[in-house]
């Protein structure tokens, strides 16, 4: 029971953006929800998974985003409502299906929520997925507030059914992860029995005919958007300038004018439906002023499309002066912040304004650093990945042929940084490590002589590494793949996956056994425990010199956070400060300078290493590293 | 003032320059360096500015006069082969030792005797397993010595065994090593750093003559292509003009011209000054042209004592060496020095590189050039 399931119409509650989207889905009568976890989108399905059984909604964590979209689409094909959620990178994975789905169209309401990450706060890129709407001729909604994030979802379902098209809703980190007051509505009463109409196949051949139909749907969509409540004009009749904004900048724009006391000088066109553009609405509003500042995250999607519109309607609108990211008035990359927006508007209005006086910035920085220790992005205390990378580093050094490791996305991506001893040498998309290793593994014929390793987590293995692995085995590439099996999708918040024996709704599920899969494919397999450094190093070295083919080393050890959450510890670890020689050791603080598990501390007073009991998760690995055997591990 | 440095300097000045001779003096001292397959591998960066690895390495500063002083307590007299008390021919009496020994079995006999009589309690020798990789080995039982007789011309980290060994109950250790290893031992002795290896317990050093040593990995790859997987027994080099490496396996003896082996010589050996282990208590090599006999150079009292006892108990027999043979030995030794200086020059070290030579010695070496090598 929660406010998300129980809340009634008119009630105002505080929700996180992703919870609001989940509530919106419930209000919109969703029946099937599927996703692959990825920040900042994970809590949408996370929230729905918890309440799915209670509300008779089917919720799944899919192996990847393409499958998630296909699962949600299947519900739509059978006439009920489906929702798929993903982060920006996920839409790339799903896009192949999406750009065929747009042609066949959908039946029951189908909503695709994409959470972009402007500023790449928890991502490897800050891709702006709005371009997909344009390429795929699909309707696109962009909430500016948590309230809109909720309200747009039932609307998106309705729209989708009316048009027979999936509807894209684009959230961003600052909405998905923000909290805001949300007024609830009641769920739509829908009681449909899913049924697939065999008389109406969904086949997009001949494509041209379907493309024509799709364009017609898009025109109809534009008409609907002309009167949408999600688009509005706020401001005086004849402002000096206009701000056109979507997403969070839409909310920031009001703050900005408030702050500059410029509400009577500048008008805001806040757009919630950004593709196709509501042209007549826009033409009416754009007449009001000639200076137009476009504020949006991340690309110049609106700006470019507005410029095109103004060119088209040049006779009616005259010549406009466009300012925004394209003109350099707003930053070229990264998030639009209230500060940079305010600075831009102040400049346009020639108001003197200092967003953040340098003096204040300095004092703030000082105050913060006094209380918050500087932290490096890195693995948790006791993380098996740290141990694994330690072994990779050692094994590659011992191997001595300038071997290297290519990787991809997961907790273990941090292997590019100091906590992974800078071992990961390429980092791109899910599963790309295995693909790249497969390519490198073909280069020996041209004289390439470096051993190649790749790494992937268990969740990434199911997501996208499998095809690359098939490919490598089939094409007889030569590399060693490490699968870091920590039995968790740890990076995104411990969602279950096909290897965990549990499904999204907490029910028991069959375990898809990675080892058995690899064995069946015909790879040479070994399994090791990364906490056993020596054993793992030897295994890596052994497999590296094994001349031909794809070798898989599964490094199996439970995620340290999962173990810590269970209140388990393998070892009680302490430093015998008599035995530790401190700076006199010659080890040059191997434990705290090189290995650097956050559980290890340097006791400045005594000039010796120590253990921070509150942080140490008791993996015991540092005991193996100390050359003086001064770190004592006692089995619990 | 001797040069100081840490792992970074070792890495830049020795490892990266391919001057390492895999002696093992820097291994098993810390977790940063490890020896594997005849290579010294840096596992992590160490930012100490002073370290034993750098201090002991025979390819960081070698101040010939200073080391000589430290070991012998006096200045070097013989510029060609270092200080000598006497130079004799010798061989083991025991037939097994003589047969299993690389040349005349003198080294094994002396070590075995020292252990037996207790003048040393442990010896650092070098073993060679089926993989042909030389490894340092601590021997405490005299009967084990004969099993380690013979040598394979491959460089290996023998001294690692000294560094990593635990000698709590032993205060008398013997070490058998190549000239570079004996140099490293001398550098350990004079090191001013606080932490020490068990060097202070080393009471006897037996040096082997050496012209060059081979790089393990590349050489073994070559050898395996040549002789297959068969177990390799004795390896020997025939005297000039033939100059062949004889490799004996169960089935056959392969005769490999030395020219084919040359590419596998460690490039750190090219700049090596020392053919006769000039800083050892006693140095042992072959007598060219007299099969089964060792040349033995006695340099110190410790060396003299063990050799005389071995003679006295009838473990070895000795004979004097002809004057012109000694002349050849000196010439060969001087020639190696000359080649080393030339090689250093060739590698771009205009200041003599790692070597600090007294002018007298330098002139003597360069006189080789006048005569033509
Ligand atoms: C790499 C190398 C190059 C050599 N070059 C020459 C040369 O140019 N001219 C010459 O006269 N003699 C040379 N020798 C020495 C020669 O081969 C004999 O070792 C020496 O004559 C002693 O013979 P022995 O019968 O008394 O030795 P043994 O009684 O057989 O004892 C040999 C001892 O050498 C040790 N040993 C074996 N391999 C190694 C190694 N790689 N590093 C350190 N110690 C080792 C063993 O522990 C053993 O105790 C060389 C030896 C080596 C290892
Ligand atoms: S969450 Fe788990 S897997 Fe990720 S860094 Fe932390 S301990 Fe490691
Ligand atoms: S020569 Fe010896 S001490 Fe120097 S780097 Fe090589 S193994 Fe280490």
């Amino acid at each position: 029971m929660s406010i998300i399931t129980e809340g009634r119409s008119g009630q105002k509650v505080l929700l996180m953006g992703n919870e609001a989207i989940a509530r919106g889905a419930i209000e919109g009568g969703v029946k099937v929800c599927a996703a692959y976890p990825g920040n900042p989108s994970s809590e949408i399905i996370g929230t729905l998974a918890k309440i799915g059984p209670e509300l008779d909604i089917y919720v799944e964590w899919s192996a990847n985003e393409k499958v998630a979209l296909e699962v949600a689409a299947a519900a739509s094909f059978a006439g009920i409502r489906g929702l798929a959620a993903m982060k920006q990178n996920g839409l790339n994975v799903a896009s192949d299906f999406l750009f065929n789905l747009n042609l066949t169209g959908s039946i029951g309401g189908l909503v695709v929520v994409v959470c972009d990450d402007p500023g790449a706060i928890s991502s490897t890129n800050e891709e702006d997925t709005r371009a997909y709407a344009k390429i795929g001729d699909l309707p696109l909604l962009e909430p500016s507030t948590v309230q809109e994030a909720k309200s747009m979802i039932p609307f998106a379902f309705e729209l989708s059914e009316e048009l027979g098209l999936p509807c894209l809703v684009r959230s961003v980190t600052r909405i998905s992860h923000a909290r805001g007051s949300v007024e609830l509505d009641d769920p739509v009463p829908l009681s449909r029995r899913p049924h697939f109409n065999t008389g109406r196949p969904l086949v997009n051949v001949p494509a041209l005919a379907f493309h024509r139909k799709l364009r017609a749907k898009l025109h109809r969509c534009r008409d609907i958007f002309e009167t949408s409540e999600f688009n509005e004009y706020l401001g005086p009749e004849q402002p000096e300038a206009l701000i056109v904004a979507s997403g969070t900048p839409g909310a920031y724009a009001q703050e900005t004018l408030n702050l500059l006391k410029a509400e009577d000088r500048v008008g805001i066109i806040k757009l919630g439906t950004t593709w196709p553009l509501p042209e007549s609405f826009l033409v009416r509003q754009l007449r009001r002023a000639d200076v137009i500042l476009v504020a949006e995250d991340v690309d110049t999607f609106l700006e470019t499309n507005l410029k095109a519109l103004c060119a088209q309607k040049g006779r009616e609108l005259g010549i406009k002066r466009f300012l925004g990211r394209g003109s350099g008035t707003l930053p070229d990359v990264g998030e639009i912040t209230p500060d940079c927006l305010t600075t831009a508007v102040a400049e346009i209005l020639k108001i003197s304004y200092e967003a953040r006086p340098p003096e204040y910035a300095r004092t703030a920085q000082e105050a913060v650093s006094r209380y918050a220790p500087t932290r490096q992005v890195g693995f948790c205390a006791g993380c098996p990945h740290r141990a694994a990378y330690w072994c990779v580093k050692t094994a590659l050094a011992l191997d001595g042929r300038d071997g290297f490791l290519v990787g991809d996305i997961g907790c273990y991506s941090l292997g590019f940084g100091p906590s992974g001893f800078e071992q990961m040498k390429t980092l791109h998309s899910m599963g790309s490590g295995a693909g790249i290793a497969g390519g490198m593994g073909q280069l020996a014929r041209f004289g390439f002589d470096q051993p190649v390793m790749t790494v992937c987590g268990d969740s990434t293995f199911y997501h996208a590494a499998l095809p690359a692995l098939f490919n490598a085995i089939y094409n007889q590439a030569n590399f060693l793949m490490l699968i870091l099996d920590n039995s968790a999708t740890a990076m995104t918040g411990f969602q279950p996956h096909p290897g965990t024996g549990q499904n999204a709704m907490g029910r028991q599920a069959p375990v898809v056994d990675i080892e058995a899969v690899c064995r069946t494919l015909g790879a040479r397999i070994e399994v090791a425990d990364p906490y056993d450094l020596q054993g793992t190093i030897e295994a890596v070295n052994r497999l590296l010199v094994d001349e031909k083919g794809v070798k898989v080393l599964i490094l199996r050890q439970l995620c340290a956070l999962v173990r810590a959450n269970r209140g388990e510890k393998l070892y009680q670890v302490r430093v015998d400060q008599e035995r530790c020689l401190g700076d006199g050791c010659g080890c040059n603080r191997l434990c705290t300078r090189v290995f650097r598990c956050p559980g290890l501390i340097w006791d400045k007073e005594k000039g010796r290493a120590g253990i921070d009991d509150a942080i140490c998760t008791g993996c015991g690995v540092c005991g193996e590293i100390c050359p003086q055997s001064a770190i004592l591990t006692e089995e619990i | 003032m001797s040069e100081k440095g840490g792992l970074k300097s070792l890495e830049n000045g020795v490892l990266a320059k391919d001057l390492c001779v895999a002696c093992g003096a820097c291994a098993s001292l810390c977790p940063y360096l490890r020896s594997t397959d005849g290579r010294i591998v840096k596992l992590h960066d160490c930012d100490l500015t002073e370290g034993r690895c750098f201090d002991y390495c025979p390819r960081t500063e070698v101040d010939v006069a200073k080391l000589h002083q430290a070991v012998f307590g006096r200045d070097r007299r013989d510029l060609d082969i270092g200080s000598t008390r006497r130079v004799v021919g010798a061989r083991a009496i025991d037939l097994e030792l003589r047969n299993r020994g690389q040349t005349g079995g003198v080294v094994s006999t002396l070590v075995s005797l020292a252990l037996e009589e207790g003048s040393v309690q442990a010896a650092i020798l070098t073993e060679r397993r089926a993989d042909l990789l030389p490894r340092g080995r601590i021997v405490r039982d005299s009967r084990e010595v004969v099993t380690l007789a013979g040598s394979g011309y491959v460089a290996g980290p023998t001294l690692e065994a000294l560094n990593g060994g635990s000698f709590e109950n032993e205060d008398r250790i013997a070490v058998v090593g190549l000239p570079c290893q004996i140099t490293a031992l001398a550098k350990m002795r004079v090191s001013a750093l606080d932490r020490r290896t068990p060097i202070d317990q080393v009471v006897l050093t037996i040096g082997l003559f050496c012209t060059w040593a081979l790089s393990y990995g590349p050489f073994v790859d070559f050898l395996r292509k040549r002789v297959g997987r068969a177990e390799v027994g004795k390896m020997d080099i025939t005297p000039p003009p033939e100059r062949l490496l004889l490799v004996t396996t169960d089935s056959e003896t392969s005769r490999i011209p030395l020219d084919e082996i040359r590419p596998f010589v460690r490039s750190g050996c090219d700049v090596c000054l020392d053919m006769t282990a000039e800083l050892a208590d006693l140095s042992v090599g072959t007598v060219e042209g007299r099969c089964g006999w060792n040349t033995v150079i006695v340099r110190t009292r410790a060396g003299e004592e063990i050799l005389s006892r071995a003679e006295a108990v009838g473990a070895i027999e000795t004979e004097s060496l002809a004057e012109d043979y000694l002349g050849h030995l000196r010439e060969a030794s001087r020639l190696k020095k000359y080649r080393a200086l030339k090689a250093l020059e060739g590698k771009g070290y205009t200041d003599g590189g790692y070597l600090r030579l007294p002018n007298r010695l330098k002139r003597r070496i360069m006189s080789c050039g006048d005569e033509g090598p």
Side-chain angles (χ1 to χ4, degrees), chain A residues 390 393-394 397-400 581 584-590 593-594 627-628, chain B residues 29-32 34-37 39 41-48 52 195:
Chain A
W390 183 269
K393 184 182 184 194
T394 309
L398 291 177
D399 181 85
L581 300 179
C585 178
C587 75
N588 194 211
R589 300 189 196 178
L590 183 71
R593 194 185 59 87
V594 184
Q628 273 296 106
Chain B
L29 292 173
C30 75
Y32 294 84
R34 195 154 336 145
S35 88
T36 184
D37 292 344
R39 285 177 292 122
V41 171
K42 185 206 70 173
L43 297 180
H44 315 283
D45 288 323
C46 169
D47 54 17
L48 292 181
R52 294 187 287 170
R195 306 200 72 206

Side-chain angles (χ1 to χ4, degrees), chain B residues 101-108 126 150-151 153-154 208-209 211 285-286 294:
Chain B
Q102 180 67 21
T103 308
V106 167
V107 171
S108 298
T126 302
S151 45
Y153 298 99
V154 175
L208 304 174
F209 286 13
T211 315
T286 54
N294 285 114

Side-chain angles (χ1 to χ4, degrees), chain A residues 40 327 377 616:
Chain A
S327 65
V377 193
C616 169

Side-chain angles (χ1 to χ4, degrees), chain A residues 274-333:
Chain A
T274 43
W275 193 256
L277 285 178
E279 291 183 357
S280 311
F281 168 81
L282 280 169
V283 167
R284 276 200 309 279
Q285 308 308 334
L286 290 171
R287 277 205 195 102
R288 295 174 191 275
D290 289 339
V291 177
I292 296 162
L293 175 68
V294 188
E296 58 186 323
D297 280 322
V298 171
D299 294 338
T300 54
F301 180 79
L302 269 184
E303 196 176 325
T304 312
N305 293 328
L306 282 174
K307 283 176 183 165
L309 177 67
C310 287
Q312 185 75 30
K313 308 282 180 188
R315 249 174 235 251
E316 287 163 72
L317 288 175
I319 293 170
K320 303 285 182 193
R321 185 170 159 232
F322 274 96
L323 301 170
R325 307 191 96 143
S327 65
T329 314
L330 290 168
D332 206 18
V333 299

Side-chain angles (χ1 to χ4, degrees), chain B residues 10 14-15 19-27 33 40 53 56-59:
Chain B
L10 185 79
V14 179
L15 299 175
L19 293 183
C20 169
V21 287
C23 71
C26 61
L33 277 181
I40 294 296
C53 53
Y56 300 164
C57 174
R59 286 297 174 269

